[in-house]
């Protein structure tokens, strides 16, 4: 495939040749890259070519909850959103805490359209021996408080997990909330019953910002103590991000701590909680508009290392159970690039910053070879977008199994073409809107 006249994130206009699944050449237009007989030529003039996103945090729900999502449905959403690598989290059923559970999940991941990594989890029943024999992506998310799957663990087990991971140079992704600092009184009173529009603001009042900051500090201290590479998942507060930045600046080892934020904490706040009802319930919860703006600023200014989605689909019926009984989590893998690119279009973020936080940084933090960059020799994981053509996000037009999105009605810049190692996994005709998907092309990025 020859892609001609595309603008890269840094503003250079280039022709890009794809051969045998990798980027073969990146040359100025008219510098002599001519199409071979029978080679597909993509005229990309007026379009941007970006590295496929590496979503370091998804929950594709298999095994155990395939009614919420499968590797097929989840990876279709990923492909249509320009995500070419996903990292699946361990709170499935059974949880991915030993070699057998890992192998079971690896078999289920085979139909994935996009490349993937599989994380190993930590519970009292975990078996580090058999787990670390598998081609694990990372340890985590390790839950310092209960979330979906009730995998919250105590500090001593967390320290044990850090030691095991550090001994093998495996990074550890941490869900950092301290449940002793939750405000139980926020859940007193009438929160709306099953099927009613409960206000998710009570959830935000319950799982406090202080609970996150305290747990982030604890995770960072324990990480430094054990020399483990700690990645703080879905940081939802400026305080949490600042703690990571401070620890990073003071770090002495070769694997400084990093942090990730989600699109929902960047684009939604407690001001949306009333409108969203239980569909706005997730862990950590939506924060005040002031904190949301602070998180966004830290993304813009370079303090945030990664934007990942914490794609956590549940069915509409499950979300309608009422605030206390509805499961936590929102889908998001398909809207990651679109929402961030819309921020670029509006002038709120630079395109290079977006490229770094969704592609280059996650690839380098987690040591994924060949991903996250468009350069000769890299995997041809490519996304073509028309930055002048946003469209409204509508649940009905998305491809995951959840029939809803918390971002309904917001604008997004969606891909026209997505490739995984040179295979077209998604394509949309910009004129007719007709869409097509490729064959399952995904493989485990730790098995190269
Ligand atoms: N974020 C959530 O609210 N839910 C996630 C679990 C998690 O990441 O904590 C899920 O798996 O549903
Ligand atoms: Zn989590
Ligand atoms: Zn998660």
């Amino acid at each position: 495939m020859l892609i001609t006249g595309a603008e890269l994130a840094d503003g250079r206009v280039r022709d890009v040749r794809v051969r045998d699944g990798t980027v073969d050449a990146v040359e100025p237009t008219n510098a002599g890259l001519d199409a071979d007989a029978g080679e597909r030529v993509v005229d990309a003039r007026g379009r941007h070519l970006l590295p496929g996103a590496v979503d370091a945090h998804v929950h594709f729900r298999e095994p155990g909850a395939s009614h919420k999502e499968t590797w097929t449905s989840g990876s279709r959403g990923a492909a249509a959103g320009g995500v070419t690598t996903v990292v699946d989290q361990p709170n499935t059923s059974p949880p991915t805490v030993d070699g057998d559970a890992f192998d079971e999940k690896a078999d289920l991941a085979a139909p994935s359209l996009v490349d993937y990594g599989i994380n190993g989890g930590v519970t009292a029943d975990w078996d580090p021996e058999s787990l670390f024999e598998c081609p694990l992506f990372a340890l985590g998310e390790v839950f310092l408080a209960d979330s979906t799957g009730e995998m919250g663990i105590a500090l001593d087990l967390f320290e044990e997990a850090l030691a095991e991971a550090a001994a093998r140079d495996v990074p550890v992704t941490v869900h950092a909330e301290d449940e002793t600092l939750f405000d139980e009184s926020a859940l007193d009173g009438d929160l709306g019953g099953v099927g009613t529009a409960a206000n998710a603001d009570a959830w935000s009042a319950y799982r406090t910002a202080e609970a996150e900051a305290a747990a982030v500090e604890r995770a960072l201290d324990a990480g430094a103590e054990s020399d483990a590479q700690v990645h703080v998942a879905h940081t939802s507060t400026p305080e949490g991000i600042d703690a990571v930045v401070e620890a990073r600046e003071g770090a002495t080892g070769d694997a400084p701590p990093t942090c990730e934020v989600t699109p929902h904490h960047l684009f939604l706040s407690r001001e949306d909680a009333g409108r969203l009802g239980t569909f706005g319930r997730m862990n950590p919860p939506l924060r005040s508009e002031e904190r949301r703006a602070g998180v966004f600023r830290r993304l813009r200014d370079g303090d945030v290392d990664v934007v990942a989605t914490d794609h956590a689909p549940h069915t509409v019926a499950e979300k309608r159970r009422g605030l206390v009984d509805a499961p936590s989590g929102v889908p998001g893998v398909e809207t990651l690039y679109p929402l961030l690119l819309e921020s670029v279009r509006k002038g709120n973020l630079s395109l290079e910053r977006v490229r770094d936080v969704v592609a280059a940084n996650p690839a380098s933090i987690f040591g994924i070879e060949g991903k996250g960059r468009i350069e000769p020799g890299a995997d041809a994981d490519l996304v073509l977008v028309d930055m002048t053509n946003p469209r409204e996000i509508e649940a009905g037009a998305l491809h995951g199994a959840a029939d809803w999105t918390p971002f309904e009605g917001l604008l997004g810049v969606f891909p026209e073409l997505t490739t995984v190692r040179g295979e077209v996994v998604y394509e949309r005709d910009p004129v007719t809107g007709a869409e097509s998907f490729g064959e399952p092309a995904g493989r485990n990025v730790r098995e190269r």
Side-chain angles (χ1 to χ4, degrees), residues 99-416:
D100 287 344
F102 184 96
D103 291 343
E104 183 183 358
K105 182 175 283 188
D107 286 343
L108 290 162
S112 180
L113 280 173
V114 301
D115 282 352
Y116 53 85
I118 296 174
N119 274 2
V122 181
T123 61
D125 300 327
W126 79 312
D127 179 34
E129 292 319 313
S130 63
L131 194 57
F132 283 110
E133 271 170 26
C134 302
L136 263 197
F137 187 85
L139 209 57
E141 56 181 295
V142 178
F143 291 90
L144 298 187
D146 273 348
S147 186
T148 307
E150 266 97 64
M151 287 171 69
I153 60 168
L155 187 60
D156 54 347
L157 181 53
F158 178 53
E159 287 168 349
E160 178 191 318
L162 288 170
E164 298 272 7
R168 298 166 172 94
D169 271 334
V170 171
V172 183
T173 297
V174 185
H175 178 125
E177 288 183 285
D178 176 348
E179 50 202 11
T180 67
L181 296 175
F182 289 174
D183 180 1
E184 304 283 343
S185 71
L187 298 183
D188 291 345
D190 182 14
L191 298 170
V194 174
T196 62
N199 188 340
D201 194 63
W203 199 252
S204 300
Y206 164 56
R207 297 182 81 116
T208 60
E210 293 71 32
E212 174 172 280
V216 170
E217 296 276 6
R218 187 164 316 140
L220 292 169
D221 287 350
E225 195 76 23
S226 63
D227 244 347
Q229 181 186 342
V230 167
H231 177 71
V232 182
H234 46 45
T235 329
S236 64
T237 59
E239 295 90 329
I241 296 166
D242 291 347
V244 175
V245 170
E246 196 180 315
R248 179 159 64 222
E249 282 163 359
T252 49
D254 51 9
T258 49
C259 67
E260 146 197 317
V261 304
T262 70
H264 45 275
H265 294 118
L266 288 166
F267 296 104
L268 301 171
S269 73
R270 286 175 78 160
E271 292 184 6
D272 301 290
R275 173 177 67 79
L276 288 167
T278 49
F279 295 88
R281 182 187 139 164
M282 82 289 288
N283 306 326
L286 297 177
R287 302 300 185 189
S288 66
E289 178 54 28
E290 191 186 344
R291 282 203 170 92
R292 183 208 64 78
V295 169
F296 195 96
R297 262 198 315 279
R298 284 162 177 75
L299 166 64
R300 190 196 58 198
D301 296 346
D303 290 343
V304 169
D305 303 286
V306 170
V307 179
T309 64
D310 193 13
H311 175 79
H314 300 283
T315 66
V316 168
E318 289 166 340
K319 288 301 255 185
R320 286 214 174 114
R321 277 181 199 151
L323 188 65
V324 177
D325 297 320
S328 294
V330 298
V333 70
E334 191 168 349
T335 44
L336 168 68
Y337 243 143
L339 286 164
L340 291 170
L341 293 176
E342 173 61 11
S343 288
V344 172
R345 199 184 66 84
K346 285 194 303 207
N348 296 336
L349 282 177
S350 78
L351 190 52
E352 288 179 287
R353 184 89 193 106
V354 170
R355 171 202 63 192
D356 288 350
V357 292
V358 304
N361 292 357
S364 88
I365 288 166
F366 291 102
I368 319 173
E369 273 170 54
K371 303 290 192 195
R373 289 169 195 284
I374 300 178
E375 62 192 18
D379 287 358
D381 296 354
L382 303 171
V383 178
L384 195 67
V385 297
D386 178 356
M387 291 295 295
T388 67
N389 193 14
R391 58 173 216 266
E392 234 172 68
I393 295 173
E394 285 173 73
L398 300 177
H399 301 86
D403 287 328
W404 61 281
T405 165
F407 306 112
E408 186 81 31
L410 297 186
L411 287 179
V413 176
F414 285 85
E416 291 180 355

Side-chain angles (χ1 to χ4, degrees), residues 60-62 65-80 111-113 311 313 333-334 398-402 437:
F60 277 180
R61 306 302 191 198
E62 284 186 300
S66 52
H67 64 289
K68 296 178 198 267
E69 193 76 284
T70 63
W71 279 90
T72 299
S73 59
S75 70
R76 281 166 72 93
S112 180
L113 280 173
H311 175 79
V333 70
E334 191 168 349
L398 300 177
H399 301 86
F437 289 90

